[in-house]
Amino acid sequence: MWRTLRLALALLTVFPLAPKEARPEEFRQTTPFFPLAGYALGLPLALLAILPLPEGLFAALALALLLGLTGFLHLDGLLDVADALLGARPREERLRLLKDPHLGAFAFGVGGLYLLLLWQALALAREPLFLLLLPGFARFAILLFLHRYPLLGPGMAGLVRGGPWAWGLLFAWPFPALYPLPALLVLLAAWGVAHLAARRLGGLNGDVLGAMIALSELAGLLGYALWKAPGG
């Protein structure tokens, strides 16, 4: 169990915990631990929320932690997917752009809006328990759709597909129980990205999963701000 948890943390965070010579079947066994890997990211956010920091500074530091502790991989996936999915192009061109390391106009536009909204949403969602649980549920949410839609190739998505992902609900259930509206928006955001990728690209890959996590976390944060707003 500890070996599998270490592998899940290595897949989803920058923590150097990957065991040596992991076998393909071990990657599939990591899926129930995706929420725990998310909690490892949420814990620093929760601790930061306790400190007496101005809202703007707290949000900036929380944003830096959320991006930095994931190695900016989810943001990178969001930017790649934005270029590939948006605009009127044939499928072959979309797939080429998905692999292109250069950024286009859609990547810059989506990335800028994402960071601005994420900073503001973090400033409005300064509840330690919420910040602890949200990253865990977002990483569970992608598994619901990873096993429904086709894949573009093996890669990271192919490595984890087929594992006992449903057991992850044992770790992820507190978030929807405590925050039903944000949880619903997390699921809708993850589904929206997956559905659009399946229609326009033909399936999912690691970049799409990263975009799903990035946008579902943002949706959850915005949902919290709406839910906790006066009269919400």
Side-chain angles (χ1 to χ4, degrees):
M1 176 178 174
W2 171 237
R3 179 182 172 89
T4 309
L5 176 58
R6 285 172 55 197
L7 187 54
L9 286 165
L11 282 173
L12 297 172
T13 73
V14 296
F15 303 134
L17 297 173
K20 295 181 179 179
E21 300 177 356
R23 301 181 302 276
E25 57 270 21
E26 289 186 280
F27 284 93
R28 287 192 291 273
Q29 296 301 317
T30 62
T31 50
F33 299 102
F34 274 31
L36 295 183
Y39 296 154
L41 298 170
L43 181 59
L45 300 180
L47 295 176
L48 185 67
I50 299 173
L51 299 179
L53 298 172
E55 284 188 353
L57 178 59
F58 159 74
L61 293 175
L63 188 152
L65 280 174
L66 193 58
L67 297 182
L69 291 177
T70 59
F72 293 84
L73 288 177
H74 304 331
L75 176 61
D76 178 69
L78 175 64
L79 300 182
D80 289 341
V81 168
D83 273 338
L85 289 185
L86 302 179
R89 299 183 177 94
R91 179 172 178 267
E92 293 74 17
E93 178 67 8
R94 295 183 188 280
L95 292 173
R96 186 192 67 80
L97 288 172
L98 189 62
K99 298 177 182 179
D100 191 342
H102 301 93
L103 300 181
F106 286 113
F108 282 108
V110 169
L113 289 173
Y114 168 75
L115 293 174
L116 180 62
L117 288 171
L118 184 60
W119 175 81
Q120 181 62 76
L122 284 165
L124 295 173
R126 195 170 175 174
E127 181 186 329
L129 183 59
F130 177 83
L131 294 173
L132 170 66
L133 297 178
L134 172 63
F137 187 70
R139 281 150 185 81
F140 171 76
I142 67 170
L143 299 173
L144 298 173
F145 308 106
L146 172 61
H147 294 79
R148 176 179 177 182
Y149 291 101
L151 300 180
L152 290 175
M156 186 270 193
L159 280 175
V160 300
R161 180 167 172 158
W165 62 272
W167 288 103
L169 186 59
L170 293 175
F171 302 116
W173 69 265
F175 186 80
L178 295 171
Y179 308 101
L181 176 59
L184 176 61
L185 294 180
V186 165
L187 293 173
L188 287 174
W191 169 80
V193 176
H195 186 70
L196 190 61
R199 291 191 61 181
R200 295 193 172 186
L201 299 174
L204 314 183
N205 68 354
D207 282 332
V208 175
L209 295 183
M212 290 166 66
I213 291 175
L215 291 183
S216 62
E217 285 179 335
L218 176 59
L221 287 163
L222 293 174
Y224 178 90
L226 293 172
W227 189 41
K228 292 296 185 179

